[in-house]
């Protein structure tokens, strides 16, 4: 609340070590993961600014690549924290969204196979909100499959999404993906 996120992050870590059975641990893990997510996004945004100048400026290219690498490391920390939250507190209301965030952090770090693994855990947990959480995990799984050129897997998960959660916004996004030429060929 005081606008000191680094100190707050340190306190969340202390809470985890000193009180591993605390009722506040899941919430503090979510806040810690969000902290690293914000840091990663800031590094990524700064990297993009440098990389935009990279063609004309070699120093900018070097700086942009270095910041991009730091951003990826922060995304991996984020994914680890949210993944542990989901694993440790599977019944907590934060578990499903944490799994989504872990998968998305893996995606931002360009670790698409790890993202698919995390999203699959969310998809398979039937206690999570289907039209929002599980449907979203299905959509992002399809997008990851497209990134790694696994078109049939992408087609499959998008189709499943439209059958399992047809009224969700994520099914609408999946139908848009399915209407693209490369996936229409698989029909």
């Amino acid at each position: 609340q005081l606008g000191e996120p680094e100190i707050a992050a340190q306190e969340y870590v202390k809470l985890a070590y000193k009180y591993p059975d605390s009722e506040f641990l899941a919430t503090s893990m979510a806040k810690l993961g969000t902290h690293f997510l914000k840091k990663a996004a800031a590094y990524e945004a700064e990297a993009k600014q440098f990389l935009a100048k990279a063609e004309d400026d070699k120093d900018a290219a070097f700086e942009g690549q270095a910041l991009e690498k730091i951003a990826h490391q922060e995304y991996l920390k984020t994914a680890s924290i949210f993944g542990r939250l989901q694993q440790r507190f599977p019944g907590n209301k934060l578990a499903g969204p944490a799994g989504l965030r872990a998968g998305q952090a893996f995606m931002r770090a360009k670790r698409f196979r790890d993202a698919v693994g995390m999203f699959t855990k969310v998809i398979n947990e039937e206690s999570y909100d289907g039209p929002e959480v599980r449907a979203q995990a299905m959509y992002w799984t399809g997008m990851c499959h497209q990134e790694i050129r696994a078109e049939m897997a992408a087609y499959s998960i998008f189709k499943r999404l439209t059958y399992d959660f047809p009224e969700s916004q994520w099914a609408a996004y999946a139908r848009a993906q399915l209407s693209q030429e490369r996936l229409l060929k698989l029909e």
Side-chain angles (χ1 to χ4, degrees):
Q1 295 296 327
L2 295 173
E4 298 174 348
E6 293 298 326
I7 294 171
Q10 291 171 9
E11 294 302 320
Y12 294 138
V13 171
K14 283 182 195 174
L15 174 72
Y17 283 113
K18 287 184 175 183
Y19 307 102
D21 297 324
S22 170
E23 64 185 281
F24 302 109
L25 188 55
T27 303
S28 69
M29 288 175 78
K31 289 182 179 279
L32 187 61
T34 301
H35 168 72
F36 284 111
L37 183 62
K38 287 178 183 176
K39 282 180 69 172
Y43 283 123
E44 185 177 49
E46 193 176 353
K48 284 181 182 178
Q49 291 175 354
F50 280 103
L51 292 172
K53 305 177 215 171
E55 204 169 292
D56 303 328
D57 184 351
K58 298 291 182 198
D59 289 336
F62 178 75
E63 186 68 25
Q65 290 168 351
L67 287 167
E68 196 171 51
K69 186 175 180 179
I70 293 169
H72 286 191
Q73 291 169 343
E74 295 297 311
Y75 282 128
L76 292 176
K77 280 184 205 173
T78 300
S80 174
I81 292 165
F82 282 125
R84 280 196 308 258
L85 190 162
Q86 183 193 25
Q87 182 180 14
R88 180 136 185 235
F89 303 101
N92 190 293
K93 67 180 179 181
L94 298 173
L100 281 175
R101 282 189 154 185
Q104 291 165 337
F106 277 130
M107 285 179 72
R108 302 274 297 267
K110 310 252 186 273
R111 301 271 296 266
F112 299 107
R113 292 184 197 286
D114 292 330
V116 166
M118 188 55 64
F119 290 136
T120 300
K121 290 177 185 177
V122 174
I123 293 165
N124 292 338
E125 182 54 58
E126 292 187 13
S127 67
Y128 296 160
D129 175 18
E132 186 54 35
V133 175
R134 292 178 60 223
Q136 190 176 161
M138 287 179 180
Y139 175 77
W140 290 118
T141 298
M143 297 304 288
C144 288
H145 284 308
Q146 287 184 319
E147 285 289 333
I148 58 176
R149 309 245 189 272
E151 299 297 339
M152 192 59 175
Y155 173 83
S156 220
I157 195 75
F158 286 143
K159 273 298 201 187
R160 179 179 167 198
L161 171 54
T162 63
Y163 292 132
D164 289 359
F165 305 106
E167 301 299 319
S168 73
Q169 72 178 18
W170 300 101
Y173 297 153
R175 284 189 283 278
Q177 291 298 318
L178 288 165
S179 69
Q180 293 184 12
E181 178 98 20
R182 66 186 184 280
L183 294 183
L184 278 174
K185 291 178 189 176
L186 298 175
E187 189 76 37

